[in-house]
Each structure stands twice: as C-alpha cells, then as structure tokens.
C-alpha cells in the first residue's frame, strides 16, 4: 500500500555534512595513515575497546536507562554514560531519547522519526538529514530535563563529545601507539562504525529477522545483529517489552548490555532492574503463536477449510494446555516462593530478637560492672561482656545476611521472577 510522501521538512545542514563529509575524511585518513605509517594492533585493539565503551554509553546509558528507565543508576554512572554517549557522536542524551521515545510511541507512522516503512535508507540515516516530525520538541522527556547531568550534557554536547574523544584517544596513545594513529583509527573511524551499528537497529532490525513476540510493528529479533550491537538485535522483544532492562530475555541471548547492567547491580551501581513479568511475556508469545498459525492456515485453500479449522482448533487446544500447565507451574512456584518468603521473614525476626536480647544482656552487664563492689567481680563481669560483644557482632552479621536474603526473595517475588527449577 503506497503512502503519501512525507512533507518536505528543512534540511539540517550540520547533520547532513557530519554524516557525509566526516565518514569520507575518517576513511581517507585511515587509508592514508595505513599506507604511510601503518596500522598496528595497538590501534585496532584501542578502536575495539572504545567501540565497546562508547557503544555501551549508547545502549546501557542513552537507550535502556535514559530512554526506557529500565533500571536506576547513581549520578557518577549517569555522568560516565553522558560522557561516553557524547563520545559516540549521536546527539545529546535528551535529544536521542526524545527521538527514541517518539519511535516507540509512534512506530511505523509519520510521527516515528525513523519510520522503517519509509524504506531502509530513510530509517538508517536519511531521517537525520531533515528536521524530525516533532522538531526539537522535548516535552516527552520531562524526567531527563530534570536531571542536571543530562541538562549540562545537552547544553555543552559538542564540547563534551570533543573533550571525551580527545581524552580517550590520548589515553589510548599513552598506553601504546602513536597519538595520530589513535585519533584516526580509534576515534574518527570508530565514531563512524559505532554510528552505523546503531543505525542498523533502526533499519536492519526492522527488516530482517523473526517476530516471535508481536507482528504489530515492523521490529524484528535478529541474533546476528546482536553480536555487533551489544545485544540490541532482539528488537521485536524490545518493542513488545520496552521497559525491560534486557533486550535478549533468555540467558543464552547474546546481550552484553544486559550482562553489564546485571554486573553493575551486583556492585551497587544499578538498582531496580525492570523485567517484564513472566506470565505476561508467556501470554504475549501464546497470543502471537495463535495469530500467526491462524494467518498461515487462512491462505491454504478454501476446499479444506473445515479440515484446517479442526486442525487449528487442535493446535490452539494444545497451546492452551501448554500455557495452562505453565501457569499452573508458575502458581505453584509462586506459592513455594511465598512460603520461602514467610520462612525467611520469620527467620529474620528471630535473628533480630536474638540480637535485641544480646544487647539487653550487654547493657545489663555494663550496669553490673559499674555497680560491682570488688575488683574481682568487675573483672568477671568484663570477661562476660567481651564474650557478649563477640556474640553481638556474630548476631549482627547473621541478621544482616538473613535480611539481605529476605529482601532478595521479596524483590524476586514482586517482580514475578520464577524460583529456581520452575518451568521457563
Ligand atoms: Zn525500533
Ligand atoms: Zn528502545
């Protein structure tokens, strides 16, 4: 179905030149440097490391944190993301996230800044040449406009981008290699490569791949793309569950960004990791399987319609049974988990009561020591107090470990995470 052409919005010359002249300069400089001085392993390794660092600034920072609030991060980490994201030269976090939120809310329509139904080239980079459908309307990112780090980065975007790239390139040269070679290969060429890898998610991940979660948009799951895009290739899942901090939900899905966020949460640098509840994920998949089966059968000849409809009903029944079994397992898992949670709560209360009793005994001992009539008696009470202090320290450690376990269970229980051994 043909669509009316887009209104001709003004060309943004700064973007147009940056997307054409800059790559030409980067490639020409790399070839010239390679032919005259020679590119060594140091430059190649530095380019890969900076690709990962600035790429994660985009995927873990701009995308999953700023655009989708898939988790929470403290100010120092948000600052690092702002600096690394700027070094990827893909606009400020506020502008990038605003476009991206419009992409999710208006997918495949004229309001989608990188509408994939306008063709591969348009969604890849053509859209950047002209002003977007919403212009510079950032009203869809009020939360980001309240973050002083992101406001600062937005206002000084160019300076942050240049300084971070110079610092990264300079550090790479200090560790090993010529400064010029590092600036050409690990900075200029790497910027172009990382840009196009990000662009591929807007273009290729809306054209090639599977749609196991929803056919409601053109988004696709493409594991191959994930190998080069730090896990962003599972784009059909992402469009279906955009607030999930994971793009590849299964443990074996190659999603380095998800692994990074998980590791950060283990050292206290990320919290409130959001996951789509497992029963919602399963129901979505079930509905989509039913829809695609029905669509496939519809096109297979009218004369066998009755046979096909019986088969369809059988298949639906099979799927329904599997879903019910799963949900039953889930309910049992949830009940088991609630029991675990209650037991952990009782244990925590017991530990705290023990701690309280020990502290009371310690206070009592201190009083008795103060009132002791003889030195001998005071010494005996002080020995008792030393034992009590050791017991209090042990009880404190044990109570905080029990509380941590209880907190973890409570978090998993409310997030709908299945206990180990449940069907998945
Ligand atoms: Zn998309
Ligand atoms: Zn997204």
């Amino acid at each position: 179905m043909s669509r009316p052409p887009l209104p001709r919005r003004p060309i943004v010359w700064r973007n147009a030149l940056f997307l054409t002249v800059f790559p030409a300069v980067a490639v020409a400089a790399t070839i010239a440097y390679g032919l005259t001085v020679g590119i060594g392993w140091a430059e190649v390794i530095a380019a890969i490391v900076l690709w990962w660092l600035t790429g994660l600034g985009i995927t873990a920072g701009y995308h999953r944190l700023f655009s989708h609030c898939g988790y929470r991060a403290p100010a120092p980490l948000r600052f690092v993301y702002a600096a690394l994201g700027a070094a990827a030269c893909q606009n400020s976090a506020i502008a990038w996230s605003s476009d991206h939120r419009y992409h999710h809310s208006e997918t495949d329509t004229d309001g989608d800044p990188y509408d994939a139904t306008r063709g591969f080239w348009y969604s890849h980079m053509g859209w950047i040449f002209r002003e977007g459908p919403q212009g510079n309307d950032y009203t869809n990112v009020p939360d980001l406009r309240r973050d002083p780090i992101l406001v600062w980065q937005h206002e000084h975007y160019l300076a942050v981008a240049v300084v971070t790239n110079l610092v990264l390139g300079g550090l790479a040269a200090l560790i090993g290699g010529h400064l010029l070679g590092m600036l050409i290969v690990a900075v200029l060429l790497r910027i172009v490569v990382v840009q196009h890898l990000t662009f591929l998610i807007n273009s290729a991940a809306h054209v090639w791949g599977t749609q196991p979660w929803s056919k409601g948009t053109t988004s696709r799951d493409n594991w191959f793309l994930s190998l080069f895009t730090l896990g962003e290739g599972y784009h059909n899942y992402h469009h279906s569950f955009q607030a999930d901090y994971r793009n590849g939900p299964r443990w074996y899905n190659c999603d380095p960004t998800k692994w990074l966020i998980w590791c950060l949460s283990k050292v206290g640098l990320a919290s409130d990791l959001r996951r789509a509840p497992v029963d919602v994920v399963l129901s979505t998949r079930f509905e989509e399987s039913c829809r695609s089966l029905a669509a496939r059968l519809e096109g297979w000849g009218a004369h066998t319609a009755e046979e096909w409809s019986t088969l369809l009903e059988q298949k639906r029944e099979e799927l329904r049974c599997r879903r019910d079994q799963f949900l039953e397992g889930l309910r049992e898992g949830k009940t088991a988990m609630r029991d675990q949670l209650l037991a952990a709560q009782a244990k925590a209360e017991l530990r705290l009561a023990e701690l309280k009793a020990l502290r009371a005994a310690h206070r009592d001992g201190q009083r008795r020591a103060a009132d002791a009539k003889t030195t001998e008696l005071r010494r005996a009470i002080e020995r008792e107090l030393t034992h009590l202090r050791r017991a209090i320290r042990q009880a404190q450690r044990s109570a905080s470990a029990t509380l941590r376990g209880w907190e973890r269970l409570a978090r998993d229980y409310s997030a709908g995470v299945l206990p180990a051994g449940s069907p998945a």
Side-chain angles (χ1 to χ4, degrees):
M1 195 175 64
S2 69
R3 295 187 32 205
L6 282 171
R8 291 185 80 75
R9 291 187 293 265
I11 292 179
V12 183
W13 285 105
R14 188 192 55 203
N15 290 355
L17 289 173
F18 189 59
L19 287 180
T20 50
V21 176
F22 187 87
V25 170
V27 171
T30 306
I31 294 172
Y33 186 82
L35 291 176
T36 51
V37 186
I39 296 170
W41 278 109
E43 281 90 358
V44 174
I45 292 169
I48 293 172
V49 171
L50 296 199
W51 154 34
W52 272 62
L53 282 177
T54 57
L56 286 167
I58 294 294
T59 60
Y62 276 30
H63 189 210
R64 303 196 198 180
L65 177 65
F66 301 139
S67 302
H68 293 298
C69 311
Y71 62 105
R72 284 154 71 94
L77 183 61
R78 296 205 306 280
F79 175 79
V80 170
Y81 282 152
L84 291 176
C89 297
Q90 297 181 18
N91 217 336
S92 73
I94 287 182
W96 197 103
S97 305
S98 172
D99 280 339
H100 194 69
R101 285 188 190 174
Y102 286 123
H103 169 62
H104 276 274
S105 62
E106 311 274 335
T107 313
D108 300 335
T109 69
D110 287 350
D112 177 354
Y114 19 99
D115 177 4
T117 61
R118 294 281 171 190
F120 188 93
W121 154 253
Y122 178 83
S123 63
H124 189 72
M125 58 191 284
W127 66 278
I128 310 170
F129 285 62
R130 288 182 186 274
E131 207 171 77
Q134 292 84 10
N136 290 333
D137 178 4
Y138 301 136
T139 48
N140 64 341
V141 287
D143 50 328
L144 307 187
R145 286 158 68 212
R146 280 194 298 272
D147 184 336
I149 295 171
L150 298 189
V151 171
W152 166 81
Q153 192 240 31
H154 184 72
E155 281 167 6
H156 304 95
Y157 163 66
L158 200 60
V160 180
V162 171
V163 170
T164 313
N165 273 313
L166 287 177
V167 168
L168 291 173
L171 277 176
L174 270 181
I175 295 169
H178 298 284
L179 180 62
L180 185 64
M182 287 297 181
L183 290 180
I184 289 173
V185 181
V187 174
L188 297 186
L189 188 66
R190 182 262 311 157
I191 287 174
V192 178
V193 172
V194 175
Q195 278 181 341
H196 283 274
L197 289 174
T198 304
F199 299 164
L200 278 173
I201 298 304
N202 301 334
S203 54
H206 277 262
V207 177
W208 297 300
T210 55
Q211 295 186 298
W213 306 99
S214 168
K215 288 189 176 62
T217 65
T218 53
S219 62
R220 302 283 201 277
D221 269 5
N222 186 320
W223 64 268
F224 185 69
L225 264 181
S226 271
L227 303 179
F228 310 99
T229 54
L230 305 168
E232 300 279 287
Y234 301 97
H235 204 53
N236 190 245
Y237 179 85
H238 174 60
H239 267 269
S240 305
F241 307 102
Q242 50 172 297
D244 198 319
Y245 84 96
R246 308 157 305 170
N247 275 16
R250 303 212 184 276
W251 65 268
Y252 53 81
N253 292 150
C254 175
D255 185 354
T257 305
K258 148 184 100 174
W259 297 327
L260 170 79
I261 297 168
W262 185 84
C263 290
L264 289 172
S265 76
K266 294 295 151 196
V267 292
L269 283 171
S271 58
D272 299 324
L273 274 53
R274 289 165 74 184
R275 285 158 166 243
V278 72
D279 47 344
V280 176
V281 171
L282 190 83
S283 300
T284 307
R285 183 121 185 185
F286 169 74
E287 297 301 337
E288 191 47 53
S289 302
C290 282
R291 267 197 296 276
S292 59
L293 188 62
R296 256 168 50 206
L297 293 182
E298 224 163 64
W300 286 2
H303 60 290
T304 54
E306 224 163 86
E307 274 171 55
W308 286 122
S309 97
T310 316
L311 187 64
L312 173 64
E313 203 32 61
Q314 274 173 8
K315 288 277 171 202
R316 284 181 81 106
E317 197 47 48
E318 251 175 62
L319 280 169
R320 240 181 249 129
C321 269
R322 270 165 53 195
R323 182 190 62 169
D324 291 346
Q325 274 171 6
F326 180 91
L327 289 177
E328 185 51 35
L330 189 68
R331 265 192 293 278
E332 280 169 16
K334 275 260 181 191
T335 312
M337 208 163 176
R338 200 194 51 216
D339 292 346
Q340 276 179 32
L341 189 63
L342 289 176
Q345 202 170 338
K347 201 169 149 192
E349 274 163 16
L350 192 70
R351 293 270 177 277
L352 290 174
E354 278 169 9
L355 188 60
K356 213 167 142 189
L358 282 168
R359 279 192 178 138
H362 188 260
R363 269 199 305 276
D364 179 54
Q366 279 175 325
R367 252 195 314 273
R368 279 189 291 122
D371 297 343
K373 298 273 185 295
T374 64
T375 323
E376 208 174 305
L377 181 59
R378 191 162 45 247
R379 281 212 187 113
I381 297 173
E382 267 161 12
R383 272 198 299 278
E384 200 185 306
L385 282 172
T386 312
H387 287 307
L388 272 172
R389 274 194 289 274
R390 201 171 301 140
I392 287 175
R393 274 199 298 277
Q394 265 176 9
Q396 266 170 341
R397 271 198 294 274
S398 150
S400 57
T402 314
L403 276 174
R404 271 202 304 276
W406 173 78
E407 258 173 24
R408 201 168 40 244
L409 274 173
R411 211 170 34 239
D412 284 355
Y413 183 73
S414 53
V417 176
L418 286 175
S422 301

